[in-house]
Coordinates of all heavy atoms in Angstrom, one line a residue:
M1 N 105.9 101.3 121.6 CA 105.2 101.3 120.4 C 103.7 101.0 120.7 O 102.8 101.6 120.1 CB 105.8 100.4 119.3 CG 105.3 100.8 118.0 SD 104.6 99.6 116.9 CE 103.4 98.7 117.7
A2 N 103.5 99.9 121.5 CA 102.1 99.5 121.7 C 101.3 100.6 122.4 O 100.2 100.8 122.0 CB 102.2 98.2 122.6
T3 N 101.8 101.2 123.4 CA 101.1 102.3 124.1 C 100.8 103.4 123.2 O 99.7 103.9 123.1 CB 101.9 102.8 125.3 OG1 102.2 101.7 126.2 CG2 101.2 103.9 126.0
A4 N 101.8 103.8 122.4 CA 101.5 104.9 121.4 C 100.5 104.6 120.4 O 99.6 105.5 120.2 CB 102.9 105.3 120.7
S5 N 100.5 103.4 119.8 CA 99.5 103.1 118.8 C 98.1 103.0 119.4 O 97.1 103.5 118.8 CB 99.8 101.8 118.1 OG 99.8 100.7 119.0
R6 N 98.0 102.5 120.6 CA 96.6 102.4 121.3 C 96.1 103.8 121.6 O 95.0 104.1 121.4 CB 96.7 101.5 122.5 CG 95.4 101.4 123.2 CD 95.4 100.4 124.4 NE 96.4 100.7 125.4 CZ 97.5 99.9 125.6 NH1 97.6 98.8 125.0 NH2 98.4 100.3 126.5
E7 N 97.0 104.6 122.2 CA 96.6 106.0 122.5 C 96.2 106.8 121.3 O 95.2 107.5 121.4 CB 97.7 106.7 123.3 CG 97.9 106.2 124.7 CD 99.1 106.8 125.4 OE1 99.8 107.6 124.8 OE2 99.3 106.5 126.6
M8 N 96.9 106.7 120.2 CA 96.5 107.4 119.0 C 95.2 106.9 118.5 O 94.3 107.7 118.0 CB 97.6 107.2 117.9 CG 98.8 108.0 118.1 SD 100.0 107.8 116.7 CE 101.3 107.1 117.6
R9 N 95.0 105.6 118.5 CA 93.7 105.0 118.1 C 92.6 105.5 118.9 O 91.5 105.9 118.4 CB 93.8 103.5 118.1 CG 92.5 102.8 117.7 CD 92.6 101.3 117.7 NE 92.9 100.8 119.1 CZ 92.0 100.7 120.1 NH1 90.8 101.1 119.9 NH2 92.4 100.2 121.2
E10 N 92.7 105.5 120.2 CA 91.7 106.0 121.1 C 91.4 107.5 121.0 O 90.3 107.9 121.0 CB 92.0 105.6 122.6 CG 92.0 104.1 122.8 CD 92.5 103.7 124.2 OE1 93.1 104.5 124.9 OE2 92.2 102.5 124.5
E11 N 92.5 108.3 120.8 CA 92.3 109.7 120.6 C 91.5 110.0 119.3 O 90.7 111.0 119.3 CB 93.7 110.4 120.4 CG 94.4 110.6 121.7 CD 95.8 111.2 121.5 OE1 96.1 111.7 120.4 OE2 96.6 111.2 122.5
K12 N 91.6 109.2 118.3 CA 90.9 109.4 117.1 C 89.5 108.7 117.1 O 88.8 108.6 116.1 CB 91.7 108.8 115.9 CG 93.0 109.7 115.6 CD 93.8 109.1 114.5 CE 95.1 109.9 114.4 NZ 94.9 111.1 113.6
R13 N 89.2 108.1 118.3 CA 87.9 107.4 118.5 C 87.7 106.3 117.5 O 86.6 106.1 116.9 CB 86.8 108.4 118.5 CG 86.8 109.5 119.5 CD 85.6 110.3 119.6 NE 85.6 111.5 120.3 CZ 85.7 111.6 121.6 NH1 85.9 110.6 122.4 NH2 85.7 112.8 122.2
L14 N 88.8 105.5 117.2 CA 88.7 104.4 116.3 C 88.7 103.1 117.2 O 89.5 103.0 118.2 CB 89.9 104.4 115.4 CG 90.0 105.6 114.4 CD1 91.3 105.6 113.7 CD2 88.9 105.5 113.4
S15 N 88.0 102.1 116.7 CA 88.0 100.8 117.4 C 89.1 100.0 116.7 O 89.6 100.3 115.7 CB 86.7 100.1 117.2 OG 86.5 99.7 115.9
Q16 N 89.4 98.8 117.4 CA 90.4 97.9 116.7 C 89.8 97.4 115.4 O 90.5 97.2 114.5 CB 90.7 96.8 117.7 CG 91.5 97.2 118.9 CD 91.7 96.1 119.9 OE1 91.1 95.1 119.9 NE2 92.6 96.4 120.8
G17 N 88.5 97.2 115.4 CA 87.8 96.8 114.1 C 88.0 97.8 113.0 O 88.1 97.5 111.8
D18 N 87.9 99.1 113.4 CA 88.1 100.2 112.4 C 89.5 100.1 111.8 O 89.7 100.2 110.6 CB 88.0 101.6 113.0 CG 86.6 101.9 113.5 OD1 85.6 101.3 112.9 OD2 86.4 102.6 114.5
I19 N 90.5 99.9 112.6 CA 91.9 99.7 112.2 C 92.0 98.5 111.3 O 92.7 98.5 110.3 CB 92.9 99.7 113.3 CG1 92.8 101.0 114.2 CG2 94.3 99.5 112.9 CD1 93.1 102.3 113.4
E20 N 91.4 97.4 111.7 CA 91.4 96.2 110.9 C 90.9 96.5 109.5 O 91.5 96.1 108.5 CB 90.5 95.1 111.5 CG 90.3 93.9 110.7 CD 89.1 93.0 111.2 OE1 88.5 93.4 112.2 OE2 88.9 92.0 110.5
K21 N 89.8 97.2 109.4 CA 89.2 97.5 108.0 C 90.2 98.4 107.2 O 90.4 98.2 106.0 CB 87.9 98.2 108.2 CG 86.8 97.3 108.7 CD 85.5 98.0 109.0 CE 84.5 97.1 109.7 NZ 83.4 97.8 110.2
R22 N 90.8 99.4 107.9 CA 91.6 100.3 107.2 C 92.9 99.7 106.8 O 93.5 100.1 105.8 CB 92.0 101.5 108.1 CG 90.8 102.5 108.3 CD 91.2 103.6 109.3 NE 90.1 104.5 109.4 CZ 90.3 105.8 109.8 NH1 91.5 106.3 110.0 NH2 89.3 106.6 109.9
T23 N 93.4 98.7 107.5 CA 94.7 98.1 107.2 C 94.5 96.9 106.3 O 95.4 96.5 105.6 CB 95.4 97.6 108.4 OG1 94.6 96.7 109.1 CG2 95.8 98.8 109.3
G24 N 93.3 96.2 106.3 CA 93.1 95.0 105.6 C 93.6 93.8 106.3 O 93.6 92.7 105.8
F25 N 93.9 93.9 107.6 CA 94.2 92.8 108.5 C 93.0 91.9 108.6 O 91.9 92.4 108.6 CB 94.7 93.2 109.9 CG 96.0 94.0 109.9 CD1 96.2 94.9 110.9 CD2 97.0 93.8 108.9 CE1 97.4 95.6 110.9 CE2 98.2 94.6 108.9 CZ 98.4 95.5 110.0
C26 N 93.2 90.6 108.7 CA 92.1 89.7 108.7 C 91.4 89.6 110.1 O 90.2 89.3 110.2 CB 92.6 88.3 108.4 SG 93.2 88.1 106.7
F27 N 92.1 89.9 111.2 CA 91.6 89.8 112.5 C 91.8 91.0 113.4 O 93.0 91.5 113.5 CB 92.2 88.6 113.2 CG 92.0 87.3 112.4 CD1 93.0 86.7 111.7 CD2 90.7 86.7 112.4 CE1 92.9 85.6 111.0 CE2 90.6 85.5 111.7 CZ 91.6 85.0 111.0
A28 N 90.8 91.5 114.0 CA 91.0 92.6 115.0 C 91.9 92.2 116.1 O 92.5 93.0 116.8 CB 89.7 93.2 115.5
V29 N 91.9 90.9 116.4 CA 92.7 90.4 117.5 C 94.2 90.7 117.3 O 94.9 90.8 118.3 CB 92.4 88.9 117.8 CG1 93.0 88.0 116.7 CG2 92.9 88.5 119.2
Y30 N 94.6 90.8 116.0 CA 96.0 91.1 115.8 C 96.3 92.5 116.3 O 97.4 92.7 116.9 CB 96.3 91.1 114.2 CG 97.7 91.5 113.9 CD1 98.7 90.6 114.2 CD2 98.0 92.7 113.3 CE1 100.1 91.0 113.9 CE2 99.3 93.0 113.0 CZ 100.3 92.2 113.3 OH 101.6 92.5 113.0
I31 N 95.4 93.5 116.1 CA 95.6 94.8 116.7 C 95.8 94.7 118.2 O 96.7 95.3 118.8 CB 94.5 95.7 116.3 CG1 94.2 95.8 114.8 CG2 94.7 97.1 116.8 CD1 95.3 96.3 114.0
S32 N 94.9 94.0 118.8 CA 95.0 93.8 120.3 C 96.3 93.2 120.7 O 96.9 93.7 121.7 CB 93.8 92.9 120.8 OG 93.9 92.7 122.2
R33 N 96.8 92.2 120.0 CA 98.0 91.5 120.3 C 99.2 92.5 120.2 O 100.1 92.5 121.0 CB 98.3 90.3 119.5 CG 97.3 89.2 119.8 CD 97.5 87.9 119.0 NE 98.9 87.4 119.2 CZ 99.4 86.8 120.3 NH1 98.5 86.5 121.3 NH2 100.6 86.4 120.4
V34 N 99.2 93.4 119.2 CA 100.2 94.4 119.0 C 100.2 95.4 120.1 O 101.2 95.7 120.7 CB 100.1 95.1 117.6 CG1 101.0 96.3 117.5 CG2 100.4 94.1 116.5
E35 N 98.9 95.9 120.4 CA 98.8 96.9 121.5 C 99.1 96.4 122.9 O 99.4 97.2 123.7 CB 97.3 97.4 121.5 CG 97.0 98.3 120.3 CD 95.6 98.8 120.3 OE1 94.8 98.4 121.2 OE2 95.3 99.6 119.4
H36 N 99.1 95.1 123.1 CA 99.5 94.5 124.4 C 100.9 93.8 124.4 O 101.2 93.1 125.2 CB 98.4 93.5 124.8 CG 97.1 94.2 125.2 ND1 96.1 94.4 124.3 CD2 96.7 94.8 126.3 CE1 95.1 95.1 124.9 NE2 95.5 95.3 126.1
N37 N 101.7 94.1 123.3 CA 103.0 93.6 123.2 C 103.1 92.1 123.1 O 104.1 91.5 123.6 CB 103.9 94.1 124.3 CG 104.3 95.6 124.2 OD1 104.6 96.0 123.0 ND2 104.3 96.3 125.2
H38 N 102.1 91.5 122.6 CA 102.1 90.0 122.4 C 102.5 89.6 121.0 O 102.8 88.5 120.7 CB 100.7 89.4 122.7 CG 100.3 89.5 124.1 ND1 101.0 88.9 125.2 CD2 99.3 90.3 124.7 CE1 100.4 89.3 126.3 NE2 99.4 90.1 126.1
S39 N 102.5 90.6 120.1 CA 103.0 90.4 118.7 C 103.8 91.6 118.3 O 103.5 92.7 118.7 CB 101.8 90.3 117.7 OG 101.1 89.1 117.9
V40 N 104.8 91.3 117.5 CA 105.7 92.4 117.0 C 105.4 92.5 115.5 O 105.7 91.6 114.7 CB 107.2 92.1 117.2 CG1 108.0 93.2 116.7 CG2 107.4 91.9 118.7
P41 N 104.8 93.6 115.1 CA 104.5 93.7 113.6 C 105.7 94.0 112.8 O 106.7 94.6 113.3 CB 103.6 95.0 113.6 CG 103.9 95.7 114.8 CD 104.4 94.8 115.8
N42 N 105.7 93.4 111.6 CA 106.8 93.7 110.7 C 106.7 95.1 110.1 O 105.7 95.8 110.3 CB 106.9 92.6 109.6 CG 105.6 92.6 108.7 OD1 104.9 93.6 108.5 ND2 105.3 91.4 108.2
M43 N 107.6 95.5 109.3 CA 107.6 96.9 108.8 C 106.4 97.2 107.9 O 105.8 98.3 108.0 CB 108.9 97.2 108.0 CG 109.1 98.6 107.6 SD 109.0 99.8 109.0 CE 110.5 99.6 109.7
E44 N 106.1 96.2 107.1 CA 104.9 96.4 106.2 C 103.6 96.7 107.0 O 102.8 97.6 106.7 CB 104.7 95.2 105.3 CG 103.5 95.3 104.4 CD 103.4 94.1 103.5 OE1 104.2 93.2 103.5 OE2 102.3 94.0 102.8
N45 N 103.4 95.9 108.1 CA 102.3 96.1 109.0 C 102.3 97.4 109.8 O 101.3 98.0 110.0 CB 102.1 94.9 109.9 CG 101.6 93.7 109.1 OD1 101.2 93.8 108.0 ND2 101.7 92.5 109.7
L46 N 103.5 97.8 110.2 CA 103.7 99.1 110.9 C 103.3 100.2 109.9 O 102.6 101.2 110.3 CB 105.1 99.3 111.3 CG 105.5 98.5 112.5 CD1 107.0 98.6 112.7 CD2 104.8 99.0 113.8
E47 N 103.7 100.1 108.7 CA 103.3 101.2 107.7 C 101.8 101.2 107.5 O 101.2 102.3 107.4 CB 104.0 100.9 106.4 CG 105.5 101.2 106.4 CD 106.3 100.7 105.2 OE1 105.7 100.0 104.4 OE2 107.4 101.2 105.1
K48 N 101.2 100.0 107.4 CA 99.7 100.0 107.3 C 99.0 100.6 108.5 O 98.0 101.3 108.4 CB 99.2 98.5 107.1 CG 99.6 97.9 105.8 CD 99.1 96.5 105.7 CE 99.4 95.8 104.4 NZ 99.0 94.4 104.4
M49 N 99.5 100.3 109.7 CA 98.9 100.9 110.9 C 99.1 102.4 111.0 O 98.2 103.1 111.3 CB 99.6 100.2 112.1 CG 99.2 98.7 112.3 SD 99.9 97.9 113.7 CE 99.0 98.8 115.1
A50 N 100.3 102.9 110.6 CA 100.5 104.3 110.5 C 99.5 105.0 109.6 O 98.9 106.0 109.9 CB 101.9 104.6 110.2
R51 N 99.3 104.4 108.4 CA 98.4 105.0 107.4 C 97.0 104.9 108.0 O 96.2 105.9 107.8 CB 98.5 104.2 106.1 CG 99.6 104.7 105.2 CD 99.4 104.1 103.8 NE 99.3 102.7 103.7 CZ 100.4 101.9 103.6 NH1 101.6 102.3 103.6 NH2 100.2 100.6 103.5
A52 N 96.6 103.8 108.6 CA 95.3 103.7 109.2 C 95.0 104.7 110.3 O 93.9 105.3 110.4 CB 95.1 102.3 109.7
L53 N 96.1 105.1 111.0 CA 95.9 106.1 112.1 C 96.2 107.5 111.6 O 96.0 108.4 112.3 CB 97.0 105.8 113.2 CG 96.7 104.5 114.0 CD1 97.9 104.1 114.8 CD2 95.5 104.7 114.9
E54 N 96.6 107.6 110.3 CA 96.8 108.9 109.6 C 97.9 109.7 110.4 O 97.8 110.8 110.7 CB 95.6 109.7 109.5 CG 94.5 109.0 108.7 CD 93.2 109.7 108.7 OE1 92.9 110.5 109.6 OE2 92.4 109.4 107.8
V55 N 99.0 108.9 110.7 CA 100.2 109.5 111.3 C 101.4 109.1 110.6 O 101.4 108.0 110.0 CB 100.3 109.2 112.8 CG1 99.1 109.7 113.6 CG2 100.4 107.7 113.0
P56 N 102.5 109.9 110.7 CA 103.8 109.4 110.2 C 104.3 108.2 110.9 O 104.0 108.0 112.1 CB 104.8 110.6 110.4 CG 103.9 111.7 110.8 CD 102.6 111.2 111.3
L57 N 104.9 107.3 110.3 CA 105.4 106.0 110.8 C 106.2 106.2 112.1 O 106.0 105.5 113.1 CB 106.2 105.2 109.8 CG 106.8 103.9 110.3 CD1 105.7 102.9 110.7 CD2 107.7 103.3 109.2
Y58 N 107.1 107.2 112.2 CA 107.9 107.4 113.3 C 107.1 107.7 114.6 O 107.6 107.4 115.7 CB 108.9 108.5 113.1 CG 108.4 109.9 113.2 CD1 108.3 110.6 114.4 CD2 107.9 110.6 112.1 CE1 107.8 111.9 114.5 CE2 107.4 111.8 112.1 CZ 107.3 112.5 113.4 OH 106.8 113.7 113.4
Q59 N 105.9 108.2 114.5 CA 105.1 108.5 115.7 C 104.7 107.2 116.4 O 104.4 107.3 117.6 CB 103.9 109.3 115.4 CG 104.2 110.8 115.1 CD 103.0 111.7 115.0 OE1 101.9 111.2 114.9 NE2 103.3 113.0 115.1
L60 N 104.7 106.1 115.8 CA 104.3 104.9 116.5 C 105.4 104.5 117.5 O 105.2 103.6 118.3 CB 104.2 103.7 115.5 CG 103.0 103.8 114.5 CD1 102.9 102.6 113.6 CD2 101.7 104.0 115.3
F61 N 106.6 105.1 117.3 CA 107.7 104.7 118.2 C 107.9 105.7 119.3 O 108.9 105.7 120.0 CB 109.0 104.6 117.4 CG 108.9 103.5 116.4 CD1 108.6 103.7 115.1 CD2 109.1 102.2 116.8 CE1 108.4 102.7 114.2 CE2 109.0 101.1 115.9 CZ 108.7 101.4 114.6
Y62 N 107.0 106.7 119.5 CA 107.1 107.7 120.5 C 106.1 107.4 121.6 O 104.9 107.1 121.3 CB 107.0 109.1 120.0 CG 108.3 109.5 119.3 CD1 108.6 109.1 118.1 CD2 109.2 110.3 120.0 CE1 109.8 109.5 117.5 CE2 110.4 110.7 119.5 CZ 110.7 110.3 118.2 OH 111.9 110.7 117.6
D63 N 106.4 107.6 122.8 CA 105.5 107.4 124.0 C 105.5 108.7 124.8 O 106.5 109.0 125.5 CB 106.0 106.2 124.8 CG 105.1 105.9 125.9 OD1 103.9 106.3 125.9 OD2 105.5 105.3 126.9
G64 N 104.4 109.4 124.8 CA 104.3 110.6 125.6 C 105.3 111.7 125.2 O 105.8 112.4 126.0
G65 N 105.6 111.8 123.9 CA 106.5 112.9 123.5 C 108.0 112.6 123.6 O 108.8 113.3 123.2
R66 N 108.3 111.4 124.0 CA 109.7 111.0 124.0 C 109.8 109.6 123.4 O 108.9 108.8 123.3 CB 110.2 110.9 125.5 CG 109.4 110.0 126.3 CD 109.8 110.0 127.7 NE 108.9 108.9 128.3 CZ 109.0 108.5 129.4 NH1 109.8 108.9 130.3 NH2 108.2 107.5 129.8
A67 N 111.0 109.3 122.9 CA 111.2 108.1 122.2 C 111.0 106.9 123.1 O 111.4 106.9 124.3 CB 112.7 108.0 121.6
A68 N 110.4 105.8 122.6 CA 110.2 104.6 123.4 C 111.5 104.0 123.7 O 112.5 104.1 122.9 CB 109.3 103.7 122.6
Q69 N 111.7 103.3 124.8 CA 112.9 102.7 125.2 C 113.2 101.4 124.3 O 112.3 100.7 124.1 CB 113.0 102.4 126.6 CG 113.1 103.6 127.5 CD 113.4 103.2 128.9 OE1 113.0 102.1 129.4 NE2 114.0 104.0 129.7
T70 N 114.4 101.3 123.9 CA 114.8 100.1 123.2 C 115.5 99.2 124.2 O 115.9 99.6 125.3 CB 115.7 100.4 122.0 OG1 116.9 101.0 122.6 CG2 115.1 101.3 121.1
A71 N 115.8 98.0 123.8 CA 116.6 97.1 124.7 C 117.9 97.7 125.0 O 118.4 97.6 126.2 CB 116.8 95.7 124.0
D72 N 118.6 98.4 124.1 CA 119.9 99.0 124.3 C 119.8 100.1 125.4 O 120.6 100.2 126.3 CB 120.5 99.6 123.1 CG 120.9 98.6 122.1 OD1 121.1 97.4 122.5 OD2 120.9 98.9 120.9
T73 N 118.7 101.0 125.3 CA 118.6 102.0 126.3 C 118.3 101.5 127.7 O 118.7 102.0 128.7 CB 117.6 103.1 125.9 OG1 116.3 102.5 125.7 CG2 118.1 103.9 124.7
C74 N 117.5 100.4 127.7 CA 117.1 99.8 129.0 C 118.4 99.2 129.6 O 118.6 99.3 130.8 CB 116.1 98.7 128.8 SG 114.4 99.3 128.4
Q75 N 119.2 98.5 128.8 CA 120.4 97.9 129.4 C 121.4 99.0 129.9 O 122.0 98.8 130.9 CB 121.0 97.0 128.3 CG 122.2 96.2 128.8 CD 122.8 95.4 127.7 OE1 122.7 95.7 126.5 NE2 123.4 94.3 128.1
A76 N 121.5 100.1 129.1 CA 122.4 101.1 129.5 C 122.0 101.8 130.8 O 122.8 102.2 131.6 CB 122.5 102.2 128.4
Q77 N 120.6 101.8 131.0 CA 120.1 102.4 132.2 C 120.0 101.4 133.4 O 119.6 101.8 134.5 CB 118.7 103.0 132.0 CG 118.8 104.2 131.0 CD 117.4 104.7 130.6 OE1 116.4 104.1 131.0 NE2 117.4 105.7 129.8
G78 N 120.3 100.2 133.1 CA 120.3 99.2 134.2 C 118.9 98.7 134.5 O 118.6 98.2 135.6
V79 N 118.0 98.9 133.5 CA 116.6 98.5 133.7 C 116.4 97.0 133.3 O 116.9 96.5 132.4 CB 115.6 99.4 132.9 CG1 114.2 98.9 133.0 CG2 115.8 100.8 133.3

């Protein structure tokens, strides 16, 4: 999710500050923490981020055209 959201933001030439303004988050550092997997956003914040990026929510969970790996798929693959 982190990689997908950062790539979408960069493709749209938006800064973390731009996303902060569009979402109403208090700190741009929150966007950075999410993009670097240091924070896990709740569903409400994910919806705000998707709206700010002007993409459907599910696209935040895709990485390079394929679904992002979950703990279950990593475990099944022995990763």
Side-chain angles (χ1 to χ4, degrees):
M1 201 233 50
T3 302
S5 64
R6 182 175 52 246
E7 287 175 355
M8 283 183 243
R9 179 180 57 76
E10 290 172 348
E11 283 176 13
K12 294 176 182 281
R13 301 188 192 292
L14 297 170
S15 69
Q16 291 176 346
D18 294 331
I19 299 300
E20 172 195 1
K21 290 174 189 167
R22 290 179 176 205
T23 58
F25 296 151
C26 296
F27 304 103
V29 74
Y30 177 72
I31 305 297
S32 177
R33 291 185 56 77
V34 170
E35 289 182 353
H36 291 92
N37 286 321
H38 296 293
S39 290
V40 179
N42 62 28
M43 187 56 75
E44 181 180 351
N45 288 346
L46 284 171
E47 290 171 346
K48 287 179 182 181
M49 290 178 70
R51 278 195 303 274
L53 291 166
E54 300 174 340
V55 298
L57 179 62
Y58 75 88
Q59 283 190 346
L60 295 179
F61 297 97
Y62 281 80
D63 182 21
R66 55 184 187 174
Q69 288 190 332
T70 64
D72 291 337
T73 57
C74 288
Q75 187 177 27
Q77 294 173 357
V79 176

